[in-house]
Amino acid sequence: MSAFIKWFREIGIQDTAEVGGKNASLGEMYNHLTPLGVKVPNGFAVTATAYKHYLSANNLWEPLSKLFENFNPDDIDELKNVGKAARKLIMDAEIPEDLKKEILQGYAELKKEYGDDVSLAVRSSATAEDSPTASFAGQNETYLNIKGEDNLLWAYKMCIASNFTDRSISYKYTHNFDPMKVYLSVVIMKMVRSDLGSSGVMFSIDTESGFRDVVFINAAWGLGENVVQGTIDPDAFYVHKPTFKKGKKAVLKRKLGSKNLMMIFSEKLEVANLAEQFTKNIKTPIEKRMKFAITDDEVLKLADWAIKIEEHYSEVRGKYTPMDMEWAKDGIDGELYMVQARPETVHSQETLTEFEIYRLLEKGKVLVTGNAVGEKIGAGKVCILRSMAEADKFKEGDVLVAHTTSPDWEPVMKKASAIITETGGRTCHAAIVSRELGKPAVVGAKDAKKILKDGQEVTVSCAEGEIGKVYEGILKFEVEKVDVSKLPRPKTKIMMNLGNPELAFSLAKLPVDGIGLARMEFIINNYIKAHPMAIKHPEMLSETEKALIDELAFPFDGDGEEFFIKTLSEGVATIAAAVYPKKCIVRMSDFKSNEYANLLGGRHFEPIEDNPMIGFRGAARYTHPSYKEGFELECKAMKRAIFDMGFDNIHLMIPFCRRVEEGKRVKEALIENGLGDVPLYVMCEIPNNVILIDKFLEIFDGISIGTNDLTQLTLGVDRDSQIVAFDYDERDEGVKTMVKMAVEGAKRNNKYSGLCGQAPSDYPDFAEFLVSIGIESMSLNPDSVLKIIKDIAEMEQKNS
């Protein structure tokens, strides 16, 4: 047994002090997860004992320690000078002969296993790495495609020297580590040829909201450094763990990244510039940019591995342990491999019952957008940095704007109120460090350095979903701190309205009883963008319209129907996942004809109406010859979400159903489309729904009262008209009588009754009225939920 070399088969997570977090985890997976089907390439650790031996043999302990006497890590010039001096001491020294011999013997063993032409990945593995509070993400160096003894020894020295990069020194001080007591172990492992395949990062938790029920996967073509370093916008996938474990294996959600660059191996090495010559970036061919970098089957295999890895580490540690992992697909053998796993370090530290909700109180002009990191809001003056050489101009509280925020920039990042970069995805090193620092960051904000100006005041909002927005000016915002464990739970069910899947995971922490209204319109308008009938009948379209739809459908092999069905089903399923297994009521599409006409190709299929509000909308469309095929597409999407993806918590709802016969026709259409066994509600928003409540409830399983249209049609007031707005009031006695009759009718028929609308949160007396008539649930916009829970609990107590 060698003190300098430990093979993966000899180590596990109990050996972190000797081989560092990366090596220990690779050994843990190699030994315990390979039998479960998780593939890990073989390799060995050059130990912390070897690192100490290197320093001792070259008498480096004292000169290195002196560099850190009276050292101020916040002085950027001093940081640069100390880091440079420390690295020079390491690189000028020689690898002791006994250590050199063992490293080369290990290399020879890997050649026996994988062939003489095997290339190596040489990676740093710090002994403090992957601790519960510090990931050390990107703080030390990695060298890929290493071949030959001299190159291997050089890469080993470079890894050791990277223990003293400027960023690594600063990071250690930020997290209270003594730089002389963090020892560098090194990974030497078989290189997965992802330069010919694809690679990426995945988490067994949502990186922004901490939502535990998903696996999040990033993917790009070529080597994974571009994803990790944040130099590209990768593909993104989510898989829902509870339904996956029940055997319903499907991608929950996907986003095509731009993937502008791909990193491959260099064919020629120029020794003078060795560090940059092992790999190079090239422009990604357009056909690869327009395709996902991995197939659905590969996404699901990775998700399976992520779940197994999370379960194993949680068992070993004796507590829930979400994981941060790196994977690679070998372009030669076509196989997927795990190349790193470490505990996630941000959300794993949070108290689940306490959270902060950031809300913008005013809106301004949106200057740039990108991927949101975190859920906070920050504001300040823009400071554009082109390199760390300009770091001295950065002031505490400035908004950092850069092309990319690599971990080198950590000393500046911790002084920022917010961070904006032109490149990067939500799993890059910079994003990880931003989360650890608790800073809102917008990454992948294209042309931010051109659009934003030095000294300009901006507000950076990551509190509005997955899209981070940079607003002009300093906008007012508030932070609400909530301890859910102290909230009362009323008898009346409090649900929320939600149409935007991007907000779903961040709202999952709200203590609601489900989703009372999930609107399809946002998904169709923002993700699909095309009229359903335009997808069914491309022959009716102009060449330009056809080309635009073809571009949208390209990642789905050009199949427009598959694009529509998958995009709608995954959007709805993402909303349902936020409250799974609680009820999620999904309303079938309720665009008006003028809104449908605005969709791509919509003008060919929609009538021009003087009053679309009471025109060709809702249930009337679903069996009508001019939309029947569009409704069938909606049904196929819902069938996929419920049965194929496993979201049996989805209940369907029909809007604007004027007549009982119309309700029967829609029910028959749903049965024909395979949705006959799904619970079915009707919006109660037309006086006829109330007058004939018993007959409607012979068809439907319940009602959801839509106060907007019910008020409009009861009072004869156009809710879009400003001139008669004074006559529009949900609290009118006639409207309240209608609501009461509807709730009593539902009770009489032992059917569900709910209300979706803002009236209960806007008018406490209306909420009290709903409690008094015994409505089963109220569904409100998310920003009203916490207040209404307190109010309704107090009302129930008062009335009891």
Side-chain angles (χ1 to χ4, degrees), residues 16 85 93 185 193 199 240-241 263 306 308 321 354 380 435 507 605 611:
T16 302
S185 175
R193 293 301 303 271
S199 55
H240 187 242
K241 290 190 279 192
M263 187 177 284
K308 286 173 178 172
T321 304
E354 296 179 2
R435 282 185 210 103
L507 296 172
F605 304 96
N611 193 347

Side-chain angles (χ1 to χ4, degrees), residues 174-428:
T174 298
H175 292 275
N176 300 312
F177 290 103
D178 182 341
M180 293 306 297
K181 290 181 181 173
V182 176
Y183 309 126
L184 227 295
S185 175
V186 174
V187 182
I188 297 176
M189 65 191 291
K190 188 248 181 194
M191 180 78 216
V192 177
R193 293 301 303 271
S194 56
D195 58 306
L196 304 172
S198 52
S199 55
V201 174
M202 67 177 171
F203 288 77
S204 65
I205 192 171
D206 180 44
T207 52
E208 306 318 311
S209 64
F211 183 51
R212 292 182 172 191
D213 284 352
V214 287
V215 174
F216 175 49
I217 301 169
N218 271 159
W221 300 106
L223 299 168
E225 288 302 292
N226 281 334
V227 178
V228 173
Q229 291 170 5
T231 48
I232 61 161
D233 178 29
D235 296 335
F237 305 90
Y238 286 92
V239 175
H240 187 242
K241 290 190 279 192
T243 47
F244 186 93
K245 288 176 185 178
K246 287 183 176 180
K248 299 292 186 180
K249 298 183 178 178
V251 175
L252 173 65
K253 181 179 173 185
R254 72 190 75 220
K255 174 177 167 279
L256 187 72
S258 56
K259 307 184 294 293
N260 293 339
L261 298 172
M262 56 186 287
M263 187 177 284
I264 61 171
F265 291 154
S266 299
E267 292 177 9
K268 294 179 181 176
L269 298 180
E270 298 172 16
V271 178
N273 195 15
L274 203 56
E276 285 79 31
Q277 291 298 321
F278 290 106
T279 59
K280 65 178 180 181
N281 263 325
I282 60 169
K283 285 191 175 178
T284 308
I286 187 66
E287 63 274 12
K288 281 183 177 272
R289 289 181 55 191
M290 294 291 288
K291 288 274 190 185
F292 289 107
I294 48 176
T295 65
D296 280 15
D297 285 345
E298 288 165 342
V299 171
L300 297 173
K301 180 181 267 196
L302 288 171
D304 180 52
W305 290 1
I307 291 167
K308 286 173 178 172
I309 291 166
E310 180 185 80
E311 287 176 347
H312 174 77
Y313 277 75
S314 297
E315 185 181 347
V316 169
R317 288 171 157 244
K319 64 175 184 177
Y320 169 66
T321 304
M323 299 297 290
D324 166 358
M325 296 152 279
E326 292 177 23
W327 60 271
K329 180 184 176 183
D330 194 305
I332 296 173
D333 65 18
E335 295 284 349
L336 292 166
Y337 293 89
M338 289 303 305
V339 294
Q340 186 170 346
R342 60 189 175 212
E344 190 272 348
T345 57
V346 178
H347 296 295
S348 58
Q349 303 302 303
E350 293 177 339
T351 305
L352 282 181
T353 60
E354 296 179 2
F355 57 92
E356 294 179 333
I357 302 171
Y358 280 71
R359 293 192 193 96
L360 267 181
L361 298 177
E362 52 186 344
K363 291 290 175 86
K365 179 184 176 185
V366 177
L367 301 173
V368 292
T369 62
N371 299 301
V373 175
E375 297 176 308
K376 295 183 178 180
I377 298 171
K381 290 182 178 178
V382 167
C383 183
I384 300 171
L385 296 187
R386 285 159 185 84
S387 73
M388 278 295 284
E390 300 177 323
D392 56 349
K393 76 174 188 178
F394 195 86
K395 304 287 188 295
E396 188 83 32
D398 281 352
V399 174
L400 172 63
V401 178
H403 181 66
T404 182
T405 52
S406 73
D408 285 324
W409 296 51
E410 194 262 351
V412 168
M413 291 166 72
K414 66 185 180 187
K415 296 200 294 187
S417 61
I419 295 151
I420 303 165
T421 70
E422 293 182 316
T423 62
R426 292 163 61 203
T427 58
C428 66

